[in-house]
Amino acid sequence: GKWVWFSWHPFCMMLSFVALAGVGTVQKKLGGYQNTKLHGYFMGAATLIAVFGWYVIYSNKIILGKSHLTTWHSWFGISAFVGYVGLAFAGAIGLHPDFGVF
């Protein structure tokens, strides 16, 4: 099919939640300082790409004149997204290997 603005939403969400977060999780399980730093970089990139994926679907709804948060998919998606971003901030601040407080 034709690649349209909406196409970036599923692409970014899969790249973020599956590919980058998956690699980041495996990297952390390897242990050690350098792997912990790489885990943070992967998860940070995953979060930024998820933010872009959310922006795409939000702006696409506006372009089409459709309402937001009208399906179970959208409610589960925004819940996962908010949790993901929250964990990114908590991890970046609290679990950083150089200055984290946990």
Side-chain angles (χ1 to χ4, degrees), residues 60-83:
N60 194 63
K61 292 275 190 180
I62 292 171
I63 291 167
L64 298 176
K66 293 185 176 182
S67 299
H68 298 280
L69 301 173
T70 59
T71 65
W72 283 107
H73 175 86
S74 65
W75 281 102
F76 282 117
I78 197 68
S79 298
F81 175 72
V82 168

Side-chain angles (χ1 to χ4, degrees), residues 1-13:
K2 184 180 175 188
W3 193 266
V4 294
W5 180 239
F6 169 81
S7 304
W8 286 104
H9 172 69
F11 174 77
C12 288
M13 293 311 194

Side-chain angles (χ1 to χ4, degrees), residues 12 16 41-54 81 84-85 88:
C12 288
S16 171
Y41 295 142
F42 278 115
M43 298 308 279
T47 301
L48 291 175
I49 291 170
V51 168
F52 179 70
W54 172 82
F81 175 72
Y84 203 64
V85 172

